[in-house]
């Protein structure tokens, strides 16, 4: 990247993103946009995100469950036994379930496990009203198949990473009927709630999706499109002849409130709360 003169990088959902921070920091290549997975990256001077990603979104699950599923009294959380999964389960989910009056049991497992039957069986042995997890993508397939094969009949609440065509094909979409999926991940307006001045942006996004893909107009495609359009606007403001590391950092940290594509305005002013009393300077929201 240094040899090619890369000015900035953008991420998708990378569960090793916290490892990337010191590498790009030393190379003086800023990270702009992505879906943060780890918590460390939210406190970097070299990374900027238009949403707080996984570390901030998971508290929404217990809040929603308490408000909408009053019969849930006991919860089992399955989580990947890595730093990110542990942080999400122990800090961003379990305490909130407990504060809202629910009993919680935690069950770690490798996100690359060959068989999720043992961990799901252990969770079911505690007789939970609800089973949820931090798993995504391939791990979703294994744990949902285990739920199905063991006949778990309680509430099943999955992360957004499980809402994936590959997962549907692997487990059978019918087997997920009645399950809940956490879609609190995305930092933008839904089409139904889009303000009038953002309608042209929705039209642009819709045309792009119709032209290049048959992906639904939601979720990760919109998050990715949003960050690319925001980066385009940032680069245009700086100007092609002035795109240096110093110029990018200066703009991202100048405290100015700027328009965000199909989303509320943003500013990297350190005021974004990713948990009660915890503010993340790398999260650019208003």
């Amino acid at each position: 990247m240094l040899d090619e003169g890369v000015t900035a990088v953008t991420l998708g959902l990378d569960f090793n993103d916290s490892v990337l921070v010191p590498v790009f920091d030393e190379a003086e290549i800023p990270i702009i946009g992505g879906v943060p997975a780890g918590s460390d990256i939210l406190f970097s001077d070299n990374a900027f995100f238009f949403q707080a990603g996984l570390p901030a979104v998971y508290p929404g699950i217990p809040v929603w469950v308490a408000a909408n599923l009053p019969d849930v009294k006991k919860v089992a959380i399955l989580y990947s036994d890595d730093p990110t999964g542990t942080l999400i389960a122990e800090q961003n989910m379990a305490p909130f379930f407990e504060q809202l009056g629910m009993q919680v049991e935690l069950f770690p497992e490798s996100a690359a496990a060959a068989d999720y039957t043992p961990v799901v069986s252990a969770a079911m042995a505690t007789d939970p009203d609800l089973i949820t997890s931090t798993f995504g993508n391939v791990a979703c397939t294994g744990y949902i198949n285990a739920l199905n094969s063991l006949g778990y009949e309680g509430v099943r609440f999955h992360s957004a990473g499980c809402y994936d065509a590959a997962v549907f094909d692997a487990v059978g979409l019918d087997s997920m009927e009645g399950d809940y999926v956490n879609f609190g991940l995305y930092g933008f307006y839904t089409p139904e709630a889009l303000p009038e001045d953002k309608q042209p942006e929705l039209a642009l996004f819709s045309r792009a999706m119709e032209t290049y893909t048959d992906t639904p107009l939601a979720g990760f495609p919109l998050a990715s499109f949003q960050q690319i359009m925001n980066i385009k606007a940032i680069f245009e403001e700086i100007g092609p002849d002035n795109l240096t590391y110093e110029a990018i950092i200066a703009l991202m940290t100048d405290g100015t409130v700027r328009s965000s594509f199909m989303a509320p305005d943003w500013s990297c002013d350190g005021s974004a709360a990713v948990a009660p009393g915890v503010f993340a300077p790398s999260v650019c929201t208003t």
Side-chain angles (χ1 to χ4, degrees), residues 15-22 31 36-49 52 54-55 83-84 87 91-92 274 278-283:
F15 286 93
N16 295 311
D17 55 15
S18 293
V19 179
L20 301 177
V21 172
I31 299 169
S39 59
D40 293 346
I41 200 169
L42 300 181
F43 303 92
S44 167
D45 295 328
N46 192 56
F48 307 93
F49 301 97
L54 305 189
T84 296
L87 179 144
Q91 298 184 32
N92 296 332
V274 295
V278 180
F279 299 92
S282 291
V283 179

Side-chain angles (χ1 to χ4, degrees), residues 79-264:
Y79 66 97
S80 52
D81 59 354
D82 53 54
T84 296
T86 302
L87 179 144
I88 292 172
E90 295 184 353
Q91 298 184 32
N92 296 332
M93 292 181 73
F96 293 92
F97 276 119
E98 292 169 345
Q99 290 172 19
L100 293 166
M102 287 167 268
Q103 182 181 349
V104 178
E105 298 283 349
L106 298 174
F107 299 89
E109 180 56 277
S110 170
D115 183 7
Y116 288 86
T117 302
V119 70
V120 172
S121 180
M124 288 176 59
T126 66
D127 196 25
D129 302 307
L130 179 148
I131 291 179
T132 187
S133 86
T134 69
F135 298 135
N137 303 106
V138 175
C140 286
T141 298
Y143 116 89
I144 293 174
N145 275 334
L147 289 172
N148 293 339
S149 64
L150 293 171
Y152 179 66
E153 296 181 353
V155 179
R156 309 180 347 168
F157 209 127
H158 312 305
S159 69
C162 294
Y163 194 80
D164 182 275
V167 175
F168 300 157
D169 291 342
V171 305
L173 185 58
D174 290 345
S175 75
M176 293 179 65
E177 184 175 355
D179 291 6
Y180 295 93
V181 179
N182 177 26
F183 281 110
L185 173 63
Y186 311 115
F188 44 71
Y189 294 115
T190 63
E192 296 78 14
L194 199 67
E196 185 173 349
D197 65 339
K198 296 286 186 179
Q199 291 296 331
E201 296 176 357
L202 173 60
L204 174 61
F205 174 64
S206 300
R207 287 200 303 274
M209 293 298 100
E210 290 170 359
T211 302
Y212 300 109
T213 181
D214 57 1
T215 302
L217 303 182
F220 286 106
L222 181 47
S224 300
F225 200 87
Q226 175 206 42
Q227 68 194 41
I228 293 300
M229 295 305 293
N230 284 350
I231 292 170
K232 175 178 179 291
I234 290 164
F235 281 15
E236 287 177 344
E237 182 175 341
I238 294 173
D241 297 329
N242 300 308
L243 280 175
T244 64
Y245 174 77
E246 292 77 13
I248 293 173
I249 297 296
L251 182 145
M252 298 302 294
T253 59
D254 66 8
T256 300
V257 176
R258 292 177 169 85
S259 177
S260 185
F261 188 87
M262 280 188 69

